[in-house]
């Protein structure tokens, strides 16, 4: 198990480039299974979850050629369905939750797939009903074997249909869209997810020959086609990294420029951090954050306490609530952080309280933060990263704290952030990997 040793209290300075979007990468990589022709993907982040999914595809028979550090060409013209029966598939399929998105492409193109119950972050129950109900409506049948925790799914032919999703699941929508692209007839998906990552997937599929309309809305119409071809695709910068760097700059009083942000695709992220008091300005497609000695949480018009909550797009992403919570601990003012989607994602706050933060954990979904206006700095402790996003929130807390911190289980952070210690050290941080 690897750890980060962090010497806190240092101001950072300089430019930082966000990696390619992890959540988009997992969808786009699964989409290469929809065609036997080459698909080239650039701006892929070199992180554990992405690399494991590439390994899974390669073991499945996809030809993989790496032409640059962030650019790969994939060709799924000789898929080995027998790989689905191997222990290697079980291990990789369970290691990453994104593996669930091979179901739609495999079902559409080969009429069958199986998948071990995926793993991923321990952030609470993350049901898969939307995936299976949507694929069932297209004409698939599935069974779940409770003995080996395997999902088995097959079809004699997918047919387009109207469906109203019970939740706007991003990965569920992606799975259904990929399957519907090769289904017979027209599929209409209402209450579809419309995150930028899903929009990127739809645009890529359209370049491959799919006929998807309504991209960017929650009503998607997919006219099925007989086959899809190859294409080239470039990932967006990772909005979660961008939000993390904004929060880090505010917490550490640092002057940082985040480069090439694709600002129109960030939704409410910049405005939410502005309401927490962090100043920033747009310089072209860059976000400049000046050094701030203190920052103050906004209130509502009637003076009541600010409530920062997550929601489906274009609402504030749940992946950044842990960062918003940490930022609020050193602000002037009070905020309520409301994590609606996952019931275990706030359980890292005990470590922040141990560091000196003033937090009341109201229940598994809500925490009230009384900001200390940087008058009582956090103090360094030893802690463990419970999941990707909480791990980075704890890293930001350690960077702002007085003294020495150790963060264990940083393999969790590596799953979502590429060389985070090296990139932050280049700005003046003092992080040592143990």
């Amino acid at each position: 198990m690897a750890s980060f040793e962090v010497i806190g209290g240092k101001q950072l300075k300089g430019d930082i480039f966000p990696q390619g979007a992890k959540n988009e990468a997992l969808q786009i990589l699964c989409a290469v299974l929809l065609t036997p022709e080459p698909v080239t993907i650039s701006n892929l982040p070199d992180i554990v979850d992405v690399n494991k999914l590439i390994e899974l595809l390669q073991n499945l028979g996809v030809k993989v050629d790496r032409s640059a550090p962030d650019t790969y060409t994939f060709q799924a013209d000789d898929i080995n369905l027998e790989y689905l029966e191997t222990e290697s598939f079980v291990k990789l399929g369970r290691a990453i939750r994104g593996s669930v998105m091979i179901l739609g492409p495999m079902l559409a193109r080969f009429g069958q797939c199986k998948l071990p119950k995926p793993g991923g972050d321990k952030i609470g129950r993350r049901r898969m009903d939307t995936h299976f109900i949507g694929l069932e409506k297209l004409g698939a049948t599935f069974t779940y074997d409770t003995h080996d925790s395997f999902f088995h799914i097959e079809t004699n032919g997918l047919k387009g249909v109207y469906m109203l999703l019970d939740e706007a699941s991003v990965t569920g929508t992606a799975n259904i869209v990929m399957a519907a692209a090769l289904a017979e007839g027209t599929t209409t998906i209402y209450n579809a997810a419309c995150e930028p990552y899903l929009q990127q997937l739809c645009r890529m599929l359209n370049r491959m020959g799919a006929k998807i309309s309504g991209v960017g809305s929650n009503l998607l119409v997919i006219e099925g086609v007989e086959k899809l071809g190859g294409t080239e695709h470039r990932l967006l910068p990772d909005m979660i990294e961008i939000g993390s760097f904004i929060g880090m700059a505010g917490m550490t009083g640092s002057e940082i420029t985040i480069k090439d942000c694709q600002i129109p695709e960030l939704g409410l992220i910049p405005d939410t951090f502005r309401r927490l008091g962090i100043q920033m300005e747009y310089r072209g497609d860059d976000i400049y954050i000046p050094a701030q000695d203190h920052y103050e949480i906004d209130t509502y018009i009637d003076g009541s306490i600010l409530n920062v909550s997550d929601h489906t797009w274009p609402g504030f992403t749940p992946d950044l609530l842990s960062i918003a919570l940490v930022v609020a601990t050193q602000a002037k003012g009070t905020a309520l952080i409301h994590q609606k989607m996952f019931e275990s994602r706030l359980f890292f706050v005990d470590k922040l309280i141990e560091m000196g933060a003033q937090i009341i954990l109201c229940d598994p979904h809500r925490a009230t933060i009384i900001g200390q206006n940087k008058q009582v700095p956090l103090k360094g402790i030893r802690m463990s990263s419970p999941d990707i996003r909480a791990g980075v929130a704890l890293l930001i807390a350690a960077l702002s704290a007085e003294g020495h911190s150790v963060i264990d289980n940083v393999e969790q952070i590596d799953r979502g952030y590429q060389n985070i210690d090296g990139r932050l050290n280049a700005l003046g941080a003092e992080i040592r990997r143990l």
Side-chain angles (χ1 to χ4, degrees), residues 109-151:
R109 194 159 158 229
F110 303 105
Q112 62 176 295
C113 191
K114 62 181 293 189
L115 189 72
K117 189 175 182 179
D121 284 335
K122 306 303 180 186
I123 57 176
R125 190 173 66 96
R126 302 164 82 183
R127 61 192 182 90
M128 296 175 61
D129 300 53
T130 304
H131 298 258
F132 292 115
I133 291 172
L135 295 174
E136 277 187 315
K137 287 181 177 179
L138 289 172
T141 58
F142 86 94
T143 56
Y144 177 62
D145 189 330
T146 56
H147 296 291
D148 61 8
S149 297
F150 251 92
F151 296 100

Side-chain angles (χ1 to χ4, degrees), residues 75-102:
Q75 187 165 8
D77 60 348
D78 187 20
I79 296 301
N80 176 21
L81 295 176
E82 293 181 1
Y83 175 67
L84 301 177
E85 308 297 331
T86 66
E87 283 300 316
S88 169
F89 177 65
V90 173
K91 183 178 179 181
L92 284 171
R94 286 186 175 149
I96 44 171
R97 192 165 184 85
S99 63
V100 70
M101 286 180 287
I102 72 170

Side-chain angles (χ1 to χ4, degrees), residues 40-245:
T40 299
I41 305 172
S42 60
N43 202 28
L44 276 168
D46 185 8
I47 57 176
V48 171
D49 279 9
V50 167
N51 293 337
K52 282 185 176 178
L53 185 53
I54 292 173
E55 183 183 353
L56 187 153
L57 292 172
Q58 200 164 17
N59 291 347
L60 196 53
V62 179
K63 298 181 180 69
V64 179
D65 177 53
R66 189 177 190 178
S67 57
D70 69 346
T71 304
Y72 291 76
T73 298
F74 302 88
Q75 187 165 8
D77 60 348
D78 187 20
I79 296 301
N80 176 21
L81 295 176
E82 293 181 1
Y83 175 67
L84 301 177
E85 308 297 331
T86 66
E87 283 300 316
S88 169
F89 177 65
V90 173
K91 183 178 179 181
L92 284 171
R94 286 186 175 149
I96 44 171
R97 192 165 184 85
S99 63
V100 70
M101 286 180 287
I102 72 170
L103 288 178
M106 292 288 289
L107 193 66
R109 194 159 158 229
F110 303 105
Q112 62 176 295
C113 191
K114 62 181 293 189
L115 189 72
K117 189 175 182 179
D121 284 335
K122 306 303 180 186
I123 57 176
R125 190 173 66 96
R126 302 164 82 183
R127 61 192 182 90
M128 296 175 61
D129 300 53
T130 304
H131 298 258
F132 292 115
I133 291 172
L135 295 174
E136 277 187 315
K137 287 181 177 179
L138 289 172
T141 58
F142 86 94
T143 56
Y144 177 62
D145 189 330
T146 56
H147 296 291
D148 61 8
S149 297
F150 251 92
F151 296 100
H152 301 259
I153 188 162
E154 59 186 9
T155 182
N156 291 322
L158 301 177
K159 296 184 183 299
V161 68
Y162 171 87
M163 66 180 78
L164 172 61
L165 300 188
D166 63 336
E167 64 169 342
S169 163
V170 178
T171 55
T173 302
N175 240 337
I176 297 164
V177 166
M178 288 188 282
L182 291 177
E184 179 185 338
T186 299
T187 301
T188 302
I189 309 173
Y190 193 38
N191 195 31
C194 51
E195 273 78 355
Y197 308 138
L198 200 283
Q199 295 177 42
Q200 285 280 93
L201 173 66
C202 290
R203 294 186 188 110
M204 172 181 158
L205 293 176
N206 280 343
R207 291 195 304 274
M208 294 168 70
K211 296 180 179 178
I212 305 170
S213 59
V215 179
S217 76
N218 67 347
L219 180 63
L220 295 175
V221 178
I222 304 108
E223 296 178 46
V225 297
E226 290 187 3
K227 63 179 182 178
L228 296 173
T231 190
E232 295 183 0
H233 181 81
R234 182 172 178 81
L235 302 182
L236 291 173
D238 196 306
M239 67 170 74
I240 314 304
E241 270 215 342
I242 293 168
S244 301
F245 296 149

Side-chain angles (χ1 to χ4, degrees), residues 275-286:
R275 297 208 73 176
L276 291 171
I278 298 179
Q279 300 171 18
M280 67 188 81
E281 63 181 75
Y282 299 154
R283 297 179 174 179
D285 206 27
D286 302 340

